[in-house]
Amino acid sequence: MIFDLFRLDGKVALVTGATRGIGLGIVEALSDAGAHVILSSRVPKPEVVQHFKDLGRQVDYLQGDVQDPAVPARLVAEAVKLGGGKLDILVNNAGVAQHGDTHSFPEAQYRRLMDINVDSVFRACQAALGPMRAQKSGVMLNIGSISGLISNIPQPQAAYNASKAAVHMLTKSLASDYAEDGIRVNAIAPGYITTDMTNGGLADPVWGPVWRDMTPMKRPGSAIDIGAAALYLCSPASGYVTGEVLVVDGGYTVR
Ligand code: NDP
């Protein structure tokens, strides 16, 4: 059956930023496909983990603030323990968005954004290379953005855009460097997706209409749109795909 290619039975996955927004959509898709998913977030949400247990999914939870340089490696090490000594899939989804003019953008905001959006992704990938190289297999998926490909308007967000471009290039570089170890590394570049991150902007009387009008499909996407793409990139269905930045944006970047 062709659809067996989308199954993840017996696979162990660690997902950061997993208890709300896009991360939740990714957990929904990977756990439904049979993976043992280890959810991680900064703020524990036991009710979310319980929800998946009630559905009969195999899930665990790890708390961690990925801005702390020691945390990504700790999460990977603990996920390997929970996974019975292996890690098949790492999804780096945790991220923050900060808008503001560059000429007055506070240094502390810039540092936090880069720490979370770029440095933590590098550190988690670096840590996952240990078990994945030993296994001679593994999949990494980084959540980038269309903001790593184009400069969004009307909101100024140069630092965020640069952080996501870094995620895309890290993805391609790791894909090139570790393909011979059996490790695939891909990214998803979402357009506007309805989550806590974008709800304010979508409701804004200036930003909301611009975001919708610039999207050919004239609407934002949902977390499960990204979850479905993540399932493809994390499963054997994409077995010959590596170094790809898959755009899921309702057509935003075609114009
Ligand atoms: P949300 O703001 O809804 O959720 C962000 C997630 O990241 C939360 O789970 C949050 O954890 C986690 N997170 C943030 N900071 C930290 C931290 N220091 N340590 C650990 N976890 C942290 O955002 P989205 O779901 O919208 O975004 C998810 C990813 O998708 C981000 O990387 C974002 O940049 C990207 N993206 C989003 C788009 C959109 O339109 N929504 C478009 C393009 C890309 P907690 O719940 O504990 O706070």
Side-chain angles (χ1 to χ4, degrees), residues 16-24 40-45 61 63-68 71 75 92-97 112 116-117 120 143-147 160 163-164 188-199 202 211 220-221 223 226:
T16 67
T19 56
R20 61 190 170 104
I22 287 173
L24 200 53
S40 179
S41 66
R42 183 182 33 180
V43 182
K45 288 216 185 74
Y61 177 78
Q63 191 277 334
D65 182 339
V66 297
Q67 192 177 1
D68 178 338
V71 164
L75 293 177
N92 286 304
N93 166 73
V96 289
R112 175 170 175 268
I116 296 171
N117 289 10
S120 84
I143 305 304
S145 173
I146 57 166
S147 308
Y160 180 79
S163 77
K164 291 302 184 176
I188 296 175
Y192 290 106
I193 305 297
T194 307
T195 68
D196 294 340
M197 185 179 279
T198 49
N199 279 337
L202 287 166
W211 293 4
I226 306 305

Side-chain angles (χ1 to χ4, degrees), residues 12-74:
V12 178
L14 170 64
V15 180
T16 67
T19 56
R20 61 190 170 104
I22 287 173
L24 200 53
I26 294 171
V27 173
E28 174 70 41
L30 301 191
S31 65
D32 192 36
H36 171 190
V37 182
I38 298 150
L39 294 79
S40 179
S41 66
R42 183 182 33 180
V43 182
K45 288 216 185 74
E47 68 280 11
V48 172
V49 181
Q50 191 57 47
H51 162 76
F52 285 108
K53 287 187 174 164
D54 291 346
L55 290 173
R57 313 277 175 90
Q58 191 183 1
V59 291
D60 276 298
Y61 177 78
L62 293 171
Q63 191 277 334
D65 182 339
V66 297
Q67 192 177 1
D68 178 338
V71 164
R74 172 178 64 77

